[in-house]
Amino acid sequence: MIISNKELQINEQIRDAEVRLIDADGAQVGIVPIKKAMQMATKADMDLVKIADKANPPVCKIMDYGKYKFDMAKKEKESKKNQRISSVKEVRISMNIDVNDLNTKVNHAKRFAEDGDKIKVSMRLKGRELGHTDIGRNLMMKFADMCSEFADLSKAVALEGKSLSMFLVPKSKSNNQSKKSSKKGSEEGKKEAKTVASKPEENV
């Protein structure tokens, strides 16, 4: 049952002369005077609850309001319990990063992915590096490939001002169990990688 207003009017709070009534079994009673609706609710030992105050006339339902509030609170609690809060964590690398530092950054990204966070990988370009964005893009794609076991490329490498950036998203657990599915999310990145000339290891 969808109710239009969380702040519901019940019983004597309802001041309308007549309402469109729904009984406790969900059957449409029709438009009745408020007095009759209240009498029917009292006879059923339940509450008269206005569930759609914008309607003309407003819609009221005969129900156990206490039980309804309890059920709604329980559902909200379960929803919050099952809700997973995802944030964006940033990993910064440089064009002249060494292998050990690169591996460390990959481990940071892995930890973020395991926590369910999205990962923004950024590279700040300085001086002459701005004239060699292809090297930076190649390194970024290498980083994405190193993260391919636990994260997919969701947004390809892009130049934003003086920085290169890309976004990775965690793989689902089912994807991590399959090598085939682990490649699915990085097709866009692989296509871009093919267009970038490979560089010798000393440039990494």
Side-chain angles (χ1 to χ4, degrees), residues 90-105:
E90 184 172 8
V91 174
R92 298 179 181 179
I93 62 177
S94 61
M95 192 176 288
N96 60 354
I97 190 170
D98 62 35
V99 176
N100 290 332
D101 286 342
L102 190 63
N103 288 330
T104 298
K105 296 292 184 178

Side-chain angles (χ1 to χ4, degrees), residues 1 10 12 52 55 64 69 73 80 84 93 96 100 102 121 123 139-140 159 171 199 202 204:
M1 177 177 60
I10 64 172
E12 290 80 9
D64 184 337
K69 292 288 287 184
K80 289 181 178 180
R84 188 165 190 171
I93 62 177
N96 60 354
N100 290 332
L102 190 63
V121 185
M123 176 188 294
L139 178 55
M140 295 279 277
L159 181 63
K171 287 182 179 293
K199 301 296 177 181
E202 57 266 22
V204 176

Side-chain angles (χ1 to χ4, degrees), residues 57-122:
V59 180
C60 291
K61 179 175 172 55
I62 296 173
M63 68 169 76
D64 184 337
Y65 186 64
K67 183 177 184 300
Y68 165 77
K69 292 288 287 184
F70 175 80
D71 290 342
M72 290 299 100
K74 185 176 180 180
K75 287 181 180 180
E76 185 175 355
K77 185 177 180 180
E78 286 296 319
S79 178
K80 289 181 178 180
K81 182 179 179 181
N82 296 328
Q83 184 179 15
R84 188 165 190 171
I85 300 175
S86 177
S87 59
V88 178
K89 297 295 180 66
E90 184 172 8
V91 174
R92 298 179 181 179
I93 62 177
S94 61
M95 192 176 288
N96 60 354
I97 190 170
D98 62 35
V99 176
N100 290 332
D101 286 342
L102 190 63
N103 288 330
T104 298
K105 296 292 184 178
V106 170
N107 288 333
H108 289 169
K110 183 177 182 180
R111 186 172 70 250
F112 295 150
E114 289 174 345
D115 290 339
D117 297 318
K118 297 178 182 177
I119 306 153
K120 178 181 180 181
V121 185
S122 62

Side-chain angles (χ1 to χ4, degrees), residues 164-181:
L164 290 170
S165 65
M166 66 180 178
F167 286 84
L168 307 175
V169 293
K171 287 182 179 293
S172 64
K173 292 182 179 181
S174 58
N175 283 343
N176 282 329
Q177 295 173 356
S178 171
K179 290 184 179 180
K180 183 177 180 179
S181 61

